[in-house]
Amino acid sequence: MTVTIDSDRLWNRHMELARFGATAGGGVWRLALDGSDLEAHRALADIALGLGFKLFLDDVGNLFIRREGLDPLLPPVVSGSHCDSQPNGGRFDGIFGVLAALEALQSIQQSGVQTRHPLECVVWNNEEGSRFAPGCMGSAVYSGVMSLEQALATIGDDGVPLRDCVRALRELLPEAEHRPLGTPFAALIEAHIEQGPELEEGGITLGVVTGMQGNLRLMVDVTGREDHSGTTPRRRRKDAFFSAVTIVQALREALHDEKDVLRFTVGRFSISPNAWSVVPGRASFAIDLRHPDQAELERCHAIVIETVARHAAPCEATVTQKSSAIPVSFEGPVRDAIQRAAQLRQISHRSIYSGAGHDSRYFPGLCPTGMLFIPCKDGISHNEAEYASPSDIAAGAQIVADVMLELAS
Ligand code: HGY
Ligand code: MN
Ligand code: MN
């Protein structure tokens, strides 16, 4: 039993969804459950309902689109990813996995093939963690790694609690039935752009993901004293910005990895009161650490704490852990099915390790889980120039359809 996905329909849907939060630079700015993301969810719901699929929403805003199976009591075979983007993000990160899954459901539906297990396309809420930190929030709550209460209480950069946005989503999707958190899956497959250069450099169409590195997200808050920038002599100053900059520079030296395996990023930095003539009294910055080895992440965590303490003077500084996720590996039936489907379709493929974090990280312990990557141009992602080709997108979606069909039958 095989089905053939419709590559034109799939590409056109990517271009349709890219309208929600479209930026002048050709990317998307569609933060978790902001106006554009809500509109995108409504558009996905309309497509799904038009196909006769059912909608389900859980308490943290994850959306499930369901095609019934012969035995509705069997757990669903699930595929999907996220719809939210980074600020000035790309048109393919996340949404490719959602649309590939939706295309798989529609192709299977139109082929008339009945599967034993139900099939579901999942749209995880707040994968990017830009508006509400940390990322992968919807999947973390669904899998039990994060409490629902903690997630709903998270306040966005704009001062709005996630709870209010989830309520707005529920009001926007009155057709959606309630889905209890943690409802079991038979299997999970996530398709995603690689967000790196390896597949394109190798001329390979499909990456069979072997695992995903761990990450650690820390917030450093430096507290000094606001003073007059004209009258306050240096010897009396407690300049939070200068202390923060000293700390960041010391961290760059202390965390320097000659082998270039560790990923150390300071992607957010704020000072207060951020005024021309006031010595900054507060400075905060976010640290994003990634490494395949958990022990190495823990060693780096200790280095951060020690380095901050050593360089904070004359200010005070604290280090707060925002999230951590251990490295995971993908073994078993889903990875094998992806491999087999690529061979059968004679699509060039190779194993690949994921430097980026994805929602599927929380599921290897809960159900057979696997991921596939397709190339993205010049390895660029989290950038308006992010691009994946129609043929690679079609190849990835075809493998999703083949794997879902196999696992659900
Ligand atoms: O940060 C990540 O790795 C993901 O792309 N949001
Ligand atoms: Mn993503
Ligand atoms: Mn991303």
Side-chain angles (χ1 to χ4, degrees):
M1 270 185 306
T2 61
V3 300
T4 305
I5 61 106
D6 181 327
S7 54
D8 290 341
R9 174 171 66 200
L10 178 59
W11 178 258
N12 293 337
R13 277 199 184 133
H14 277 82
M15 296 305 107
E16 263 174 64
L17 269 289
R19 287 186 299 111
F20 300 111
T23 61
V28 290
W29 185 305
R30 192 167 67 219
L31 307 189
L33 299 189
D34 69 4
S36 305
D37 195 33
L38 289 173
E39 287 176 345
H41 277 71
R42 184 66 247 175
L44 291 167
D46 291 340
I47 295 168
L49 294 168
L51 292 167
F53 298 147
K54 280 195 273 184
L55 302 180
F56 294 82
L57 208 53
D58 69 18
D59 291 331
V60 74
N62 298 314
L63 174 63
F64 298 85
I65 295 168
R66 181 182 175 96
R67 182 194 189 236
E68 215 36 273
L70 290 170
D71 183 347
L73 298 180
L74 286 176
V77 170
V78 181
S79 181
S81 189
H82 60 95
C83 181
D84 64 313
S85 80
Q86 290 286 353
N88 276 343
R91 295 175 296 164
F92 303 93
D93 177 356
I95 197 67
F96 159 60
V98 170
L99 293 176
L102 189 54
E103 177 58 34
L105 261 63
Q106 180 169 358
S107 308
I108 293 169
Q109 171 94 330
Q110 289 173 341
S111 75
V113 170
Q114 288 301 322
T115 56
R116 285 181 57 238
H117 290 260
L119 301 175
E120 292 191 355
C121 161
V122 60
V123 187
W124 295 117
N125 184 23
N126 188 31
E127 188 277 344
E128 297 288 12
S130 267
R131 182 184 180 196
F132 302 99
C136 289
M137 193 178 272
S139 50
V141 171
Y142 192 86
S143 61
V145 165
M146 182 179 194
S147 81
L148 174 63
E149 265 322 300
Q150 182 191 348
L152 294 178
T154 307
I155 307 290
D157 281 353
D158 47 10
V160 177
L162 181 70
R163 182 187 318 278
D164 294 5
C165 301
V166 172
R167 187 181 310 118
L169 178 64
R170 190 169 299 113
E171 286 160 6
L172 185 73
L173 303 178
E175 309 91 338
E177 298 171 44
H178 180 253
R179 166 63 55 92
L181 292 169
T183 303
F185 298 160
L188 175 66
I189 169 173
E190 178 173 6
H192 204 284
I193 55 170
E194 178 197 337
Q195 299 182 296
E198 293 180 44
L199 292 176
E200 185 185 55
E201 280 172 357
I204 303 285
T205 302
L206 200 98
V208 184
V209 182
T210 56
M212 193 184 302
Q213 65 181 343
N215 69 43
L216 176 62
R217 294 189 174 103
L218 305 169
M219 182 56 86
V220 178
D221 292 297
V222 182
T223 307
R225 189 186 60 230
E226 293 171 11
D227 273 321
H228 193 297
S229 62
T231 57
T232 312
R234 188 186 59 246
R235 59 183 156 71
R236 289 179 51 81
R237 289 186 180 205
K238 292 188 176 187
D239 185 324
F241 174 64
F242 282 176
S243 289
V245 166
T246 304
I247 291 168
V248 169
Q249 190 47 43
L251 284 172
R252 289 186 68 191
E253 286 153 23
L255 294 174
H256 178 77
D257 173 11
E258 205 44 52
K259 297 192 292 296
D260 195 8
V261 174
L262 176 70
R263 299 281 181 266
F264 165 51
T265 310
V266 175
R268 293 179 70 126
F269 198 107
S270 64
I271 65 175
S272 155
N274 204 29
W276 278 94
S277 306
V278 180
V279 173
R282 293 181 58 78
S284 296
F285 59 91
I287 293 177
D288 178 323
L289 286 166
R290 315 277 181 110
H291 199 282
D293 175 355
Q294 183 59 19
E296 187 56 20
L297 278 174
E298 286 161 13
R299 191 181 73 83
C300 293
H301 192 174
I303 289 175
V304 170
I305 291 168
E306 192 272 328
T307 304
V308 169
R310 187 147 34 88
H311 294 280
C315 301
E316 307 287 316
T318 60
V319 180
T320 312
Q321 179 170 319
K322 295 296 282 183
S323 75
S324 77
I326 58 171
V328 290
S329 63
F330 294 119
E331 312 289 345
V334 178
R335 179 172 156 185
D336 299 344
I338 294 170
Q339 183 94 16
R340 217 175 13 257
Q343 277 156 354
L344 280 173
R345 293 273 177 187
Q346 297 182 323
I347 292 172
S348 61
H349 58 283
R350 53 154 280 197
S351 296
I352 190 167
Y353 189 76
S354 179
H358 300 287
D359 292 299
S360 298
R361 75 171 327 129
Y362 294 122
F363 291 87
L366 301 175
C367 67
T369 305
M371 285 194 74
L372 67 85
F373 284 163
I374 61 168
C376 53
K377 192 166 174 341
D378 302 329
I380 291 173
S381 182
H382 284 190
N383 180 313
E384 292 173 298
E386 181 185 276
Y387 179 80
S389 72
S391 61
D392 288 343
I393 282 175
Q398 184 60 67
I399 299 301
V400 169
D402 293 351
V403 168
M404 290 187 91
L405 203 51
E406 179 188 330
L407 296 176
S409 307

